[in-house]
Amino acid sequence: MASALAVDARTSGSFTSAHARRRYALVLGVLVVLSAAFAFALLAWDNPMPIGSPGFWRIAKLRVTNVTVMAVVAVAQAIATVSFQTVTNNRIITPSIMGFESLYRVVQTTTVYLFGVAGLVAIQGVWQFGLQVVIMVGLAMALYGWLLSGRYGNLQIMLLIGIIIGGGLGAISTFMQRLLTPSEFDVLAARLFGNVSNADASYLPLAIPLCIAASALLWLRARRLNLLALGPDVSRSLGLDHKRELYAVLFLVAVLMATSTALVGPMTFLGFLVATLAYQFADTYDHRLIFPVAVLTAFTILAGAYFVMKNVFYAQGMVSILIELVGGTVFLVVILRKGRL
C-alpha cells in the first residue's frame, strides 16, 4: 500500500505535489496584488485631486514614466539573471560579472573627462542610448565569440576574462574620476548610482521594444532552458544543440542587461536578489513558471522601495543604495551557507 502511494506521488511535472502547486498559485497571487498596490500608490499617493477625476489622471500621467521605467528594469533584470544563472549552471553569479556596469561607468566618465558637464548634458537622446546598448552588446558578443569558439574556450574562462575586463574598465574610470574637478565629479557621481530618475522618457520608445522582444524570445525558449539547466552533456544527449542555444541565450541576456544599465545605471545586486527570492518562491525547475515570479518580485521590490524612500524618508535617490545593501547582505549569507561560489 505504501509503495503504491509512493508511486502515485511521483511526478514528472513542474511541481512535486499538489501542495507545491497551490503554494505557487498563492505566491503568484500575493505578488500580483503587491505589484498592483505599489504601482497604484505611486500614481495616487499625495495626489491632491479626487480619485477618478480628470485632474487626478492628469497628475497620474506625469508619474507614469517612473512606473514604466521600473517595469522595464524589473523585466530586464529578472529574466536576464535567471537565464544567465541557468546557462552558467550557477545561482550566485549574475550578468553584471561580464562588465556591463563597468563599461557604463567608463562611457559616462569618459564623456565628462573629455567634454565636461556641458558635454554630458549635450550628449543625450535616443541615439546616445542606442549607441550605449550597441557598444555593450557588441563587446559582450565579441567576448562570447572569442572565448567560446576557441580551442580551449569554455564558460568558466569566459567568466574569468569578464571579471578581469570589468576590473580593468573600473580602474580606468577611477583614474579619470580623480582628474575631474569637484563639481564635475558631483554631477558624474549622481549618474553612476542606479536611479529611476536617471531615465529619460525619450529612451522608452527604444527600450520597451528591446525589452519585450528579448524577454519574449527567452520565454519561448523556456523549455530549452530547462534542458540547459541539466548541463551540457545531458542536454546534448537529449538532442539539444548546446553551443547554439548558449550563444542565443547569452545574446538575449546581453540585450536585456545593456538596455537596463543604459536606462537607469548600474544595479549590481538587484538581479541576484530577485533570482534568489524567485527560486525560493516558485520552488520549481520550469522556467515558464519561474520567469513570472521573478519579474513580479523585481517590480514589487523596486516599486516598494521607491514608494517608501520617496514618501516616508524623502530620499528617493537612495533606492539603489538600499537595494544594493540588502542584495549584498543576501549575497554574503548565501555564500557563507554554500561555502563556495
Side-chain angles (χ1 to χ4, degrees):
M1 184 66 181
S3 61
L5 290 175
V7 171
D8 291 339
R10 294 176 63 185
T11 175
S12 60
S14 303
F15 298 104
T16 55
S17 63
H19 173 71
R21 186 181 299 107
R22 289 194 297 271
R23 179 176 175 274
Y24 175 84
L26 178 63
V27 167
L28 195 65
V30 170
L31 288 174
V32 169
V33 170
L34 287 176
S35 299
F38 280 124
F40 183 75
L42 287 172
L43 298 178
W45 189 268
D46 205 21
N47 189 328
M49 305 303 292
I51 295 178
S53 65
F56 172 85
W57 292 114
R58 196 173 297 116
I59 295 175
K61 284 181 180 177
L62 300 176
R63 304 175 178 180
V64 165
T65 300
N66 283 345
V67 177
T68 306
V69 170
M70 290 178 203
V72 172
V73 173
V75 172
Q77 292 273 349
I79 293 183
T81 305
V82 171
S83 302
F84 188 78
Q85 291 184 345
T86 295
V87 297
T88 56
N89 201 20
N90 189 311
R91 291 190 178 181
I92 291 183
I93 59 176
T94 66
S96 302
I97 201 171
M98 300 307 299
F100 290 106
E101 295 171 359
S102 298
L103 184 61
Y104 174 84
R105 288 191 175 93
V106 165
V107 170
Q108 298 293 324
T109 306
T110 303
T111 303
V112 176
Y113 179 76
L114 295 178
F115 306 109
V117 176
L120 185 66
V121 175
I123 304 177
Q124 297 289 337
V126 178
W127 70 269
Q128 179 261 2
F129 173 76
L131 182 62
Q132 277 200 67
V133 173
V134 169
I135 291 174
M136 290 183 191
V137 174
L139 178 67
M141 293 314 297
L143 193 63
Y144 301 156
W146 172 44
L147 293 173
L148 292 179
S149 61
R151 182 180 176 185
Y152 302 104
N154 59 53
L155 199 59
Q156 285 70 33
I157 293 178
M158 185 192 76
L159 295 174
L160 180 61
I161 297 293
I163 294 172
I164 294 172
I165 291 177
L169 293 175
I172 293 172
S173 60
T174 301
F175 172 73
M176 288 191 288
Q177 287 169 15
R178 291 182 180 277
L179 301 178
L180 299 177
T181 64
S183 58
E184 290 174 335
F185 182 78
D186 285 344
V187 174
L188 176 65
R191 296 188 64 84
L192 295 185
F193 282 106
N195 192 342
V196 174
S197 302
N198 286 344
D200 190 327
S202 63
Y203 298 167
L204 292 178
L206 179 59
I208 292 175
L210 283 174
C211 185
I212 291 176
S215 303
L217 289 172
L218 283 171
W219 169 270
L220 294 174
R221 293 178 178 274
R223 294 180 188 276
R224 298 179 185 180
L225 284 169
N226 294 342
L227 292 180
L228 285 172
L230 299 175
D233 295 334
V234 176
S235 59
R236 285 192 200 100
S237 67
L238 293 174
L240 186 71
D241 188 341
H242 181 268
K243 193 169 186 177
R244 189 178 68 179
E245 285 302 317
L246 186 63
Y247 276 121
V249 172
L250 289 176
F251 172 73
L252 295 173
V253 168
V255 171
L256 287 174
M257 288 304 298
T259 302
S260 172
T261 305
L263 188 63
V264 300
M267 287 194 171
T268 305
F269 286 109
L270 176 63
F272 170 79
L273 179 63
V274 167
T276 302
L277 293 176
Y279 289 128
Q280 299 298 320
F281 292 159
D283 194 22
T284 177
Y285 66 87
D286 194 339
H287 287 75
R288 292 173 301 171
L289 302 172
I290 297 174
F291 282 153
V293 173
V295 170
L296 289 171
T297 303
F299 185 81
T300 301
I301 290 174
L302 267 179
Y306 190 82
F307 177 80
V308 171
M309 297 303 288
K310 179 184 178 184
N311 297 295
V312 178
F313 298 104
Y314 304 101
Q316 62 188 39
M318 302 289 287
V319 170
S320 63
I321 298 175
L322 177 66
I323 291 174
E324 302 296 79
L325 178 64
V326 175
T329 304
V330 173
F331 180 81
L332 290 176
V333 170
V334 172
I335 288 287
L336 292 174
R337 289 184 61 185
K338 291 176 72 73
R340 60 180 176 82
L341 285 175

